[in-house]
Amino acid sequence: SVCKGLAMLSPLNSVSFDAHFPLQLTAARAFSLEDVGRNRVLLRLLAAEETTLTDPALARLEAKLDACLMLLPHTTPVLPEHACRVGLTQIAIQGKGTFAPQQTAMLTLMPNWHYPLSLVLPVTLSVLPDGVLAQFERVFDSEDEARWSRFVFHCHRRQLS
């Protein structure tokens, strides 16, 4: 969930917002086509939340999609919730980890509690005084990058208001 500023987290190199999200860092592995597909579906859902529906047919379609998502088995493992600062290309995660500088890892992040989907990203880790900085590898195409940016900017604006 998006929360008011977590002052203790390190600043990022872009617009950002503070949140408590279920997330996990695991050993690096190959980024698969399944990861790309899952990320794309979640990014489309996140970006669609930022638009307003004026057409009743679209609103009904959205309601049907929401119902289908609720029926999906929650195949995503339960992830521990962490305080984090989320930016366009980085996430600062509060807490101490056992990571070496410049270690690569996989970040699994559930940015919306309503969807049983997680974003999976290869990242390079840096140790911060207050936690770990996960720098995204370039895995988004231009459309998915725009969707992620729209989500981050919307959460940033919502946090400021």
Side-chain angles (χ1 to χ4, degrees):
S1 60
V2 175
C3 59
K4 290 295 180 185
L6 296 167
M8 56 232 120
L9 285 171
S10 297
L12 301 182
N13 65 2
S14 69
V15 65
S16 62
F17 66 95
D18 295 337
H20 288 89
F21 283 141
L23 62 85
Q24 182 176 357
L25 290 167
T26 56
R29 63 169 174 76
F31 189 68
S32 70
L33 287 176
E34 183 180 333
D35 294 329
V36 172
R38 186 179 308 118
N39 286 354
R40 183 158 294 140
V41 168
L42 180 57
L43 290 170
R44 285 181 178 160
L45 290 169
L46 292 174
E49 284 188 347
E50 314 315 329
T51 61
T52 56
L53 297 177
T54 54
D55 183 348
L58 288 176
R60 284 192 303 275
L61 182 61
E62 180 185 36
K64 289 177 184 177
L65 178 61
D66 285 343
C68 290
L69 285 169
M70 289 181 2
L71 294 174
L72 282 175
H74 286 266
T75 57
T76 303
V78 176
L79 303 175
E81 187 176 306
H82 291 274
C84 55
R85 179 162 289 149
V86 180
L88 297 174
T89 61
Q90 300 173 315
I91 295 181
I93 304 164
Q94 188 175 33
K96 298 295 179 198
T98 55
F99 303 104
Q102 300 306 305
Q103 178 179 343
T104 58
M106 292 302 281
L107 171 69
T108 304
L109 170 73
M110 291 186 69
N112 188 313
W113 291 91
H114 301 293
Y115 307 132
L117 300 170
S118 55
L119 199 63
V120 177
L121 297 169
V123 294
T124 301
L125 303 176
S126 302
V127 178
L128 298 172
D130 52 359
V132 176
L133 179 70
Q135 174 72 44
F136 300 168
E137 301 295 324
R138 292 204 38 91
V139 294
F140 292 146
D141 64 17
S142 60
E143 290 178 12
D144 287 344
E145 188 173 333
R147 290 179 182 111
W148 176 251
S149 296
R150 193 171 20 233
F151 171 71
V152 171
F153 273 101
H154 173 78
C155 292
H156 174 74
R157 285 189 302 273
R158 187 170 55 205
Q159 193 169 63
L160 291 178
S161 60

